[in-house]
Amino acid sequence: MNLTDAVLSRHTVKAYEAGQTLPQEQVDMLLTWLHNSPSSVNSQPWHFVVASTPAGRETIAKAATEAFAYNRPKIIDASNVIALCMRADLDEAHLQAVLAQEERDGRFKADGARENQDKSRRSYVDLHRYALRDVPQWMEKQVYLALGGLLLGASMLGIDATPMEGFDAAALDSALNLRERGLTSVVLVALGRRSEKDFNAGLPKSRLPKQDVFTHI
């Protein structure tokens, strides 16, 4: 499957075939892609909780109640569910951890490269913290960059996927003890094999006309 085929063929799955488990090799590949997602100034303000067992999916499903109960079957019946989370803040410990990892990975070849990278990243953090005052929104944008790559990667592998914002974030944070770890949930992705009940599979893709979406200059 080429990239265009993957983009045109993917859709948001509405129902999964329970008991269908994805090959671990494919799951590992998706997690590798997710791990290597791009982020502004390599800030990596995320954490990913991967539920691959019935107990794990049941834990995540605790956040799909009341107004969000319609998403519970997708979570329970999927092969894997990933909770994409973001940090509460880009604190000093995280900035130091990212810088140290970059050094271990050999990214600083030239004299002063380490210091320049640290200064540059901190300038963006300070811009969003003090001038724009939108650090949470900025971090959330990075998580959605990772989400886009994950959905495209799943389609390239022929894996069905469902991104979900319809869940109780406070309930999920509590179920996964996220806030004690300085994290909060942003979006869920279910992965697996769609069932015959997936009505969306038979519907055509719909987008606004290109002339309304693109301006060429």
Side-chain angles (χ1 to χ4, degrees), residues 125-138:
V125 173
D126 287 348
L127 171 67
H128 287 278
R129 176 171 288 138
Y130 300 115
L132 301 177
R133 290 177 284 185
D134 67 344
V135 169
Q137 291 82 2
W138 184 49

Side-chain angles (χ1 to χ4, degrees), residues 54-65:
R57 293 191 296 273
E58 184 64 45
T59 298
I60 290 183
K62 292 178 181 178
T65 58

Side-chain angles (χ1 to χ4, degrees), residues 41 89-90 92 95 118-135 138:
V41 292
D89 189 24
L90 288 172
E92 183 64 23
L95 294 176
D118 186 39
K119 181 180 179 180
S120 175
R121 181 157 43 236
R122 288 176 185 275
S123 72
Y124 275 88
V125 173
D126 287 348
L127 171 67
H128 287 278
R129 176 171 288 138
Y130 300 115
L132 301 177
R133 290 177 284 185
D134 67 344
V135 169
W138 184 49

Side-chain angles (χ1 to χ4, degrees), residues 59-167:
T59 298
I60 290 183
K62 292 178 181 178
T65 58
E66 298 182 1
F68 307 116
Y70 64 92
N71 274 329
R72 177 179 171 83
K74 302 183 190 78
I75 295 170
I76 295 298
D77 294 339
S79 170
N80 304 80
V81 180
I82 303 177
L84 287 77
C85 310
M86 72 178 195
R87 300 182 60 83
D89 189 24
L90 288 172
D91 58 17
E92 183 64 23
H94 181 72
L95 294 176
Q96 290 290 349
V98 171
L99 189 67
Q101 187 63 53
E102 289 171 331
E103 186 167 33
R104 286 192 293 270
D105 290 335
R107 290 189 56 82
F108 305 132
K109 302 296 185 183
D111 291 342
R114 183 182 188 279
E115 292 72 21
N116 288 337
Q117 172 71 353
D118 186 39
K119 181 180 179 180
S120 175
R121 181 157 43 236
R122 288 176 185 275
S123 72
Y124 275 88
V125 173
D126 287 348
L127 171 67
H128 287 278
R129 176 171 288 138
Y130 300 115
L132 301 177
R133 290 177 284 185
D134 67 344
V135 169
Q137 291 82 2
W138 184 49
M139 290 191 293
E140 188 175 50
K141 289 176 183 177
Q142 315 316 311
V143 174
Y144 276 91
L145 283 176
L147 170 65
L150 175 61
L151 294 177
L152 181 57
S155 186
M156 288 289 291
L157 294 176
I159 294 172
D160 295 310
T162 308
M164 289 176 275
E165 292 182 319
F167 67 96

